[in-house]
Amino acid sequence: MGKQKGFQVKHQYTLVQALYWISSCALMGYAAVYLQYKGLSNTLIGIVVGGAACISIGVQPLVAQLSESFRVLTVKRLILLMIGLAAVLFVVLTLAPLPVAGIMAVYIGMYTIYNSLPPLLSAMGMEFINRGYYLNFGFSRGIGSISYAFCAAALGMAIDRFRPGILGYVYVGCAVLLCLAIGIMKDLGKEEVTVQRPEKSRQAEPVGRFLLHSPVFVMLMAGFLLGNTGNSCIGTYTVNVIKNLGGSDTILGVANFISAASEMPMMILFGVLMKKMDCIRILKISAFFFFVKPLIILTAGSVPAVFVGLAMQGPAFGLFTPAAVYYVNSTIAPEGRVKGQAVFSMVTSGAATCVGNLLGGWMQDTFGLSWMLAGCVVIGAVGLVIVMMIPGTGERVPVRYRLLRWMYQREIKSRG
């Protein structure tokens, strides 16, 4: 394929990431603001967001299975179908007068769908890379983050000037543009693989069996399940942190901008780090900042100090996202990569969001905001310990860590 063709794919995929995260900001970034506007308490908001994450735990592998089982249902078509369904639900929520139970049900449906899309978008991008197309996943995902950041700032001002109900119109408009952007991309499901993969071939095996033979993979999921639990909790209830210090919706928009914008430099830096260290070491750096972020926010006594804590989203989630995608892509057999991305995202994102929001909403209403933030610090610390115990590629495992040595040997054997 020509170089121009490769660059075309890169720009198309970057546009898709940008539009997805802009629409995601309208749907998920201001979920607490929108649902508070609809009359829901912190506990009910936690049930909505956490419940959607719990449901997505089952939906994500099911969606991946559908993509692998039916040739006509390609990843591209599946993504378009899910975005369209979410847009219809938001139209209903925006225009129809619904009781609290109806609002919760519809929002759970929308949130579940959108929470299940990132692994499919990642799988689509990695498939282009695996087939020899020119695509820088870290750069494209970074553009998505900076797009989310600018959208967050703009929506904060728009909500202050108008009302949170404007979020529905913004989302539907962005969803239409996103469908158009995805529609012009090549559907790889319709062609045979023509580019020889450079990596050593592995015998295909079910993801469940792979997990049984890959304890390092399981430990990573456990560690980042905890790290993302606290991170998700803070993300949803940033509105309460800001308002507790006297900030407005405009200040909340700035806070969301700082948090999202900090991801882009780290995602671009990921390409440089990959040349100097393996994904495990990068993920250890990420886990450290998943602990530092809630610690800074807990001890912050002013809005600027909270901004510093939110900026830790960059080295935390900004490094985690591309490192996790590349790690899964390099350890799962080609036939199971879509499902592998879904399983890893299901645990580290879906389950984490579920636990974080349910626990966070309940802790705020029962004990207060400070106790919720302290819980995020403790959870992040435990996740950091788990990830730091994992040996990187080529690291010598101390004899006293007999369990880790055995696990590491099983990991190497399973890859061999």
PDB file of all heavy atoms in Angstrom, residues 403-415:
ATOM      1  N   LEU A 403       6.531 -17.171  45.084  1.00  0.00           N
ATOM      2  CA  LEU A 403       5.288 -17.186  44.329  1.00  0.00           C
ATOM      3  C   LEU A 403       5.432 -16.388  43.036  1.00  0.00           C
ATOM      4  O   LEU A 403       5.017 -16.839  41.963  1.00  0.00           O
ATOM      5  CB  LEU A 403       4.156 -16.598  45.172  1.00  0.00           C
ATOM      6  CG  LEU A 403       2.788 -16.449  44.479  1.00  0.00           C
ATOM      7  CD1 LEU A 403       2.282 -17.819  44.024  1.00  0.00           C
ATOM      8  CD2 LEU A 403       1.776 -15.785  45.400  1.00  0.00           C
ATOM      9  N   LEU A 404       6.051 -15.209  43.141  1.00  0.00           N
ATOM     10  CA  LEU A 404       6.235 -14.391  41.948  1.00  0.00           C
ATOM     11  C   LEU A 404       7.153 -15.067  40.940  1.00  0.00           C
ATOM     12  O   LEU A 404       6.941 -14.986  39.736  1.00  0.00           O
ATOM     13  CB  LEU A 404       6.809 -13.023  42.335  1.00  0.00           C
ATOM     14  CG  LEU A 404       5.854 -12.077  43.062  1.00  0.00           C
ATOM     15  CD1 LEU A 404       6.571 -10.780  43.388  1.00  0.00           C
ATOM     16  CD2 LEU A 404       4.633 -11.807  42.214  1.00  0.00           C
ATOM     17  N   ARG A 405       8.173 -15.748  41.434  1.00  0.00           N
ATOM     18  CA  ARG A 405       9.087 -16.437  40.529  1.00  0.00           C
ATOM     19  C   ARG A 405       8.346 -17.525  39.760  1.00  0.00           C
ATOM     20  O   ARG A 405       8.507 -17.684  38.552  1.00  0.00           O
ATOM     21  CB  ARG A 405      10.251 -17.032  41.321  1.00  0.00           C
ATOM     22  CG  ARG A 405      11.299 -17.723  40.423  1.00  0.00           C
ATOM     23  CD  ARG A 405      12.484 -18.201  41.226  1.00  0.00           C
ATOM     24  NE  ARG A 405      12.065 -19.134  42.267  1.00  0.00           N
ATOM     25  CZ  ARG A 405      12.908 -19.681  43.147  1.00  0.00           C
ATOM     26  NH1 ARG A 405      14.187 -19.345  43.121  1.00  0.00           N
ATOM     27  NH2 ARG A 405      12.469 -20.519  44.050  1.00  0.00           N
ATOM     28  N   TRP A 406       7.481 -18.264  40.493  1.00  0.00           N
ATOM     29  CA  TRP A 406       6.706 -19.322  39.848  1.00  0.00           C
ATOM     30  C   TRP A 406       5.750 -18.722  38.816  1.00  0.00           C
ATOM     31  O   TRP A 406       5.595 -19.250  37.703  1.00  0.00           O
ATOM     32  CB  TRP A 406       5.924 -20.078  40.910  1.00  0.00           C
ATOM     33  CG  TRP A 406       4.927 -21.046  40.349  1.00  0.00           C
ATOM     34  CD1 TRP A 406       5.170 -22.284  39.820  1.00  0.00           C
ATOM     35  CD2 TRP A 406       3.507 -20.852  40.255  1.00  0.00           C
ATOM     36  NE1 TRP A 406       3.999 -22.859  39.401  1.00  0.00           N
ATOM     37  CE2 TRP A 406       2.959 -22.013  39.657  1.00  0.00           C
ATOM     38  CE3 TRP A 406       2.651 -19.816  40.629  1.00  0.00           C
ATOM     39  CZ2 TRP A 406       1.600 -22.160  39.424  1.00  0.00           C
ATOM     40  CZ3 TRP A 406       1.297 -19.963  40.396  1.00  0.00           C
ATOM     41  CH2 TRP A 406       0.783 -21.113  39.799  1.00  0.00           C
ATOM     42  N   MET A 407       5.119 -17.598  39.167  1.00  0.00           N
ATOM     43  CA  MET A 407       4.203 -16.954  38.244  1.00  0.00           C
ATOM     44  C   MET A 407       4.921 -16.463  36.999  1.00  0.00           C
ATOM     45  O   MET A 407       4.433 -16.601  35.879  1.00  0.00           O
ATOM     46  CB  MET A 407       3.503 -15.781  38.942  1.00  0.00           C
ATOM     47  CG  MET A 407       2.583 -16.192  40.084  1.00  0.00           C
ATOM     48  SD  MET A 407       1.936 -14.775  40.980  1.00  0.00           S
ATOM     49  CE  MET A 407       0.853 -14.092  39.759  1.00  0.00           C
ATOM     50  N   TYR A 408       6.093 -15.882  37.203  1.00  0.00           N
ATOM     51  CA  TYR A 408       6.861 -15.362  36.081  1.00  0.00           C
ATOM     52  C   TYR A 408       7.276 -16.493  35.139  1.00  0.00           C
ATOM     53  O   TYR A 408       7.232 -16.360  33.921  1.00  0.00           O
ATOM     54  CB  TYR A 408       8.094 -14.624  36.610  1.00  0.00           C
ATOM     55  CG  TYR A 408       8.908 -13.941  35.539  1.00  0.00           C
ATOM     56  CD1 TYR A 408       8.345 -12.944  34.745  1.00  0.00           C
ATOM     57  CD2 TYR A 408      10.236 -14.277  35.328  1.00  0.00           C
ATOM     58  CE1 TYR A 408       9.084 -12.306  33.773  1.00  0.00           C
ATOM     59  CE2 TYR A 408      10.989 -13.642  34.354  1.00  0.00           C
ATOM     60  CZ  TYR A 408      10.408 -12.650  33.581  1.00  0.00           C
ATOM     61  OH  TYR A 408      11.138 -12.026  32.622  1.00  0.00           O
ATOM     62  N   GLN A 409       7.672 -17.632  35.708  1.00  0.00           N
ATOM     63  CA  GLN A 409       8.068 -18.774  34.895  1.00  0.00           C
ATOM     64  C   GLN A 409       6.886 -19.292  34.084  1.00  0.00           C
ATOM     65  O   GLN A 409       7.033 -19.681  32.924  1.00  0.00           O
ATOM     66  CB  GLN A 409       8.641 -19.882  35.787  1.00  0.00           C
ATOM     67  CG  GLN A 409      10.014 -19.546  36.361  1.00  0.00           C
ATOM     68  CD  GLN A 409      10.477 -20.542  37.405  1.00  0.00           C
ATOM     69  OE1 GLN A 409       9.692 -21.359  37.887  1.00  0.00           O
ATOM     70  NE2 GLN A 409      11.764 -20.472  37.749  1.00  0.00           N
ATOM     71  N   ARG A 410       5.710 -19.300  34.703  1.00  0.00           N
ATOM     72  CA  ARG A 410       4.495 -19.733  33.959  1.00  0.00           C
ATOM     73  C   ARG A 410       4.189 -18.774  32.813  1.00  0.00           C
ATOM     74  O   ARG A 410       3.778 -19.183  31.733  1.00  0.00           O
ATOM     75  CB  ARG A 410       3.293 -19.802  34.907  1.00  0.00           C
ATOM     76  CG  ARG A 410       3.318 -20.954  35.884  1.00  0.00           C
ATOM     77  CD  ARG A 410       1.964 -21.161  36.505  1.00  0.00           C
ATOM     78  NE  ARG A 410       1.011 -21.639  35.519  1.00  0.00           N
ATOM     79  CZ  ARG A 410      -0.305 -21.735  35.725  1.00  0.00           C
ATOM     80  NH1 ARG A 410      -0.816 -21.346  36.901  1.00  0.00           N
ATOM     81  NH2 ARG A 410      -1.120 -22.187  34.803  1.00  0.00           N
ATOM     82  N   GLU A 411       4.396 -17.472  33.063  1.00  0.00           N
ATOM     83  CA  GLU A 411       4.145 -16.471  32.020  1.00  0.00           C
ATOM     84  C   GLU A 411       5.072 -16.702  30.837  1.00  0.00           C
ATOM     85  O   GLU A 411       4.638 -16.693  29.681  1.00  0.00           O
ATOM     86  CB  GLU A 411       4.367 -15.069  32.613  1.00  0.00           C
ATOM     87  CG  GLU A 411       4.223 -13.939  31.620  1.00  0.00           C
ATOM     88  CD  GLU A 411       2.781 -13.556  31.393  1.00  0.00           C
ATOM     89  OE1 GLU A 411       1.902 -14.174  32.011  1.00  0.00           O
ATOM     90  OE2 GLU A 411       2.533 -12.653  30.575  1.00  0.00           O
ATOM     91  N   ILE A 412       6.362 -16.886  31.107  1.00  0.00           N
ATOM     92  CA  ILE A 412       7.319 -17.102  30.029  1.00  0.00           C
ATOM     93  C   ILE A 412       6.992 -18.396  29.270  1.00  0.00           C
ATOM     94  O   ILE A 412       7.047 -18.457  28.048  1.00  0.00           O
ATOM     95  CB  ILE A 412       8.761 -17.174  30.597  1.00  0.00           C
ATOM     96  CG1 ILE A 412       9.123 -15.820  31.227  1.00  0.00           C
ATOM     97  CG2 ILE A 412       9.753 -17.531  29.503  1.00  0.00           C
ATOM     98  CD1 ILE A 412       9.095 -14.664  30.261  1.00  0.00           C
ATOM     99  N   LYS A 413       6.634 -19.444  30.024  1.00  0.00           N
ATOM    100  CA  LYS A 413       6.310 -20.729  29.404  1.00  0.00           C
ATOM    101  C   LYS A 413       5.090 -20.616  28.515  1.00  0.00           C
ATOM    102  O   LYS A 413       5.029 -21.192  27.417  1.00  0.00           O
ATOM    103  CB  LYS A 413       6.073 -21.785  30.488  1.00  0.00           C
ATOM    104  CG  LYS A 413       5.856 -23.174  29.926  1.00  0.00           C
ATOM    105  CD  LYS A 413       5.692 -24.185  31.064  1.00  0.00           C
ATOM    106  CE  LYS A 413       5.460 -25.588  30.501  1.00  0.00           C
ATOM    107  NZ  LYS A 413       5.292 -26.577  31.595  1.00  0.00           N
ATOM    108  N   SER A 414       4.079 -19.856  28.959  1.00  0.00           N
ATOM    109  CA  SER A 414       2.847 -19.717  28.174  1.00  0.00           C
ATOM    110  C   SER A 414       3.100 -18.968  26.881  1.00  0.00           C
ATOM    111  O   SER A 414       2.416 -19.179  25.881  1.00  0.00           O
ATOM    112  CB  SER A 414       1.771 -18.997  28.987  1.00  0.00           C
ATOM    113  OG  SER A 414       2.108 -17.645  29.199  1.00  0.00           O
ATOM    114  N   ARG A 415       4.095 -18.060  26.855  1.00  0.00           N
ATOM    115  CA  ARG A 415       4.406 -17.300  25.646  1.00  0.00           C
ATOM    116  C   ARG A 415       5.305 -18.083  24.708  1.00  0.00           C
ATOM    117  O   ARG A 415       5.390 -17.791  23.524  1.00  0.00           O
ATOM    118  CB  ARG A 415       5.094 -15.985  25.993  1.00  0.00           C
ATOM    119  CG  ARG A 415       4.220 -15.020  26.785  1.00  0.00           C
ATOM    120  CD  ARG A 415       4.887 -13.671  26.855  1.00  0.00           C
ATOM    121  NE  ARG A 415       4.240 -12.818  27.839  1.00  0.00           N
ATOM    122  CZ  ARG A 415       4.590 -11.573  28.044  1.00  0.00           C
ATOM    123  NH1 ARG A 415       5.562 -11.029  27.338  1.00  0.00           N
ATOM    124  NH2 ARG A 415       3.982 -10.844  28.963  1.00  0.00           N
TER     125      ARG A 415
END
